[in-house]
Amino acid sequence: MQFFGGSDVSPSPPAPTAGGHNANVMYMFNRNGVCLFYREWNRPLRTLNPQQDHKLMFGLLFSLKSLTAKMDPTGADKRNLGVPQLPGQGCSFHSFRTNTYKLSFMESPSGIKIILVTHPRTGDLREALKYIYSLYVEYVAKNPLYDPGTPIRCDLFNTNLDLYVRSIS
Amino acid sequence: MPTAGPRSGDAIFANVERVNAELFTLTYGAIVRQLLTDLEEVEEVNKQLDQMGYNIGTRLIDEFLAKANISRCVDFKETAEMIAKVGFKMFLGVTASVTNWDIEGTCCNMVLEENPLVDFVELPDTCQGLYYCNVLCGVIRGALEMVSMKTEVTWVRDVLRGDDSYELQVKLLKQVPQEYPYKDDE
């Protein structure tokens, strides 16, 4: 086991792939926990099967969101941890960073959650996530052949998403 | 990076793609006519229009949230103002005004100044129970359900039935917070 002396010491973050994509992995969930979309561009290590991985990710974010809202020092509401939140209450976390990756998160009021895992030196991706949400609206929500609440299988969405993700720094 | 605040209805309306109003009105009219031919019963048509509106609303909410850059509304009053000022403007090009709040703040009326769905329309005697614009009730109900609010939306006044304006009543039944969807032992 290595002993870390500083924040920039090994293991070094994965470099952007030869394909030029700057993101590693992307997930999209809806309000019921259904994984609508999963895409990986660069993921060297896979420990769980896909269903467990998606459930873990959703559960992690659900709990983190709940925790960060309850720990908010500026909030006036002091309910117990574990009580489900009403929309409109509480703050929302938007990213966390480790020494090997950064996870950026966005949730719309309708419950669509977009998660992007990138290299740790990525800047604030909130605008990028909003743009991805608008891509979802254009190619998925407006697509009459798409059944809401089911996994996304829209080629146009995939293509445009790939193009956009290349340009995220 | 500071995030921009919510955009006004006029600003968004100027930026979205628009369709010819007459095409929209005539297409909607064709849908209602076809439903009347297929279903024959006016009550069935009302229900079907509401259901169609509900399906539209569940998809529409994402577009509304993406374009209007809205964060969560704090209470139902703010929600109603958003629907009236931003929502109607963005999708129909008309503004509505919110009136008649009840004491708890869970029920209000929205008055539409104009209604593009009903240009050129007159109801014949055979369709007297028809709520021609019932699709709008469904849209609002569907959209609000996707943001965790169960509502009931009905027409209070309808020009096609002889009143002087279009007035909807939106009543909040309850707020349904998000529950953790997986059982712990799975």
Side-chain angles (χ1 to χ4, degrees):
Chain A
M1 201 158 136
Q2 284 178 301
F3 195 78
F4 300 115
S7 57
D8 283 314
V9 176
S10 57
S12 57
T17 62
H21 289 116
N22 280 320
N24 292 3
V25 182
M26 179 172 144
Y27 298 78
M28 268 181 81
F29 293 97
N30 75 353
R31 59 210 305 260
N32 296 324
V34 174
C35 182
L36 299 176
F37 190 76
Y38 170 72
R39 184 68 164 238
E40 58 183 55
W41 293 280
N42 177 24
R43 187 176 190 172
L45 180 67
R46 247 176 248 115
T47 52
L48 301 168
N49 76 36
Q51 280 72 34
Q52 287 177 314
D53 185 56
H54 299 329
K55 268 171 68 167
L56 180 69
M57 181 58 78
F58 183 81
L60 166 74
L61 293 163
F62 191 89
S63 313
L64 256 180
K65 209 164 54 90
S66 186
L67 180 75
T68 50
K70 292 298 185 297
M71 283 183 65
D72 185 359
T74 62
D77 193 29
K78 288 277 177 283
R79 288 202 288 179
N80 296 326
L81 199 60
V83 175
Q85 281 196 303
L86 289 177
Q89 289 178 327
C91 60
S92 175
F93 90 98
H94 48 83
S95 63
F96 67 76
R97 192 202 306 262
T98 71
N99 53 344
T100 49
Y101 68 91
K102 178 174 183 184
L103 184 143
S104 307
F105 170 74
M106 184 197 92
E107 184 182 14
S108 79
S110 57
I112 301 290
K113 304 174 184 23
I114 304 181
I115 296 109
L116 208 53
V117 178
T118 54
H119 66 83
R121 277 186 270 287
T122 316
D124 187 4
L125 284 183
R126 274 181 280 184
E127 290 303 313
L129 290 171
K130 285 211 188 104
Y131 185 76
I132 294 177
Y133 184 51
S134 69
L135 282 182
Y136 163 80
V137 164
E138 282 304 309
Y139 296 110
V140 179
K142 289 190 182 179
N143 185 344
L145 298 176
Y146 168 69
D147 195 6
T150 59
I152 296 173
R153 305 230 186 285
C154 306
D155 287 330
L156 276 177
F157 178 65
N158 293 352
T159 331
N160 281 279
L161 181 70
D162 278 346
L163 272 174
Y164 179 66
V165 162
R166 274 172 207 266
S167 65
I168 299 177
S169 61
Chain B
M1 193 190 319
T3 46
R7 302 170 64 191
S8 78
D10 294 315
I12 310 168
F13 187 62
N15 282 332
V16 296
E17 275 175 17
R18 272 161 279 172
V19 74
N20 181 300
E22 274 151 31
L23 174 65
F24 180 63
T25 309
L26 292 173
T27 307
Y28 184 70
I31 293 174
V32 180
R33 279 209 59 176
Q34 191 61 44
L35 281 174
L36 281 166
T37 313
D38 289 340
L39 299 172
E40 288 167 27
E41 280 266 338
V42 161
E43 264 318 302
E44 279 303 310
V45 176
N46 285 339
K47 261 195 257 166
Q48 189 70 346
L49 284 173
D50 186 76
Q51 185 58 36
M52 282 167 57
Y54 179 81
N55 293 337
I56 295 175
T58 54
R59 294 178 190 246
L60 200 94
I61 184 69
D62 281 317
E63 185 177 357
F64 176 71
L65 292 170
K67 296 222 162 90
N69 204 13
I70 307 269
S71 55
R72 287 171 166 76
C73 289
V74 173
D75 60 10
F76 189 62
K77 285 201 173 168
E78 208 178 312
T79 311
E81 285 294 324
M82 274 295 144
I83 297 174
K85 297 283 177 281
V86 185
F88 273 109
K89 184 73 193 177
M90 198 169 135
F91 292 107
L92 289 180
V94 299
T95 36
S97 43
V98 183
T99 59
N100 238 4
W101 277 105
D102 73 340
I103 312 171
E104 291 118 43
T106 56
C107 185
C108 69
N109 288 11
M110 287 193 202
V111 184
L112 292 170
E113 290 152 29
E114 305 166 321
N115 191 342
L117 293 172
V118 301
D119 291 339
F120 326 127
V121 176
E122 253 176 43
L123 283 187
D125 295 324
T126 50
C127 305
Q128 281 309 313
L130 182 68
Y131 284 111
Y132 187 81
C133 310
N134 221 23
V135 77
L136 292 178
C137 295
V139 171
I140 297 177
R141 187 170 63 90
L144 286 177
E145 190 162 315
M146 297 304 279
V147 286
S148 312
M149 292 187 226
K150 269 197 141 36
T151 52
E152 206 176 73
V153 187
T154 46
W155 286 103
V156 172
R157 288 196 290 178
D158 190 338
V159 172
L160 293 175
R161 292 178 138 208
D163 303 309
D164 56 355
S165 65
Y166 289 99
E167 194 167 320
L168 277 170
Q169 186 187 76
V170 184
K171 184 162 160 182
L172 175 69
L173 297 173
K174 62 175 184 170
Q175 300 222 1
V176 188
Q178 271 182 298
E179 293 282 338
Y180 187 64
Y182 303 122
K183 291 198 283 287
D184 281 328
D185 51 7
E186 263 176 54

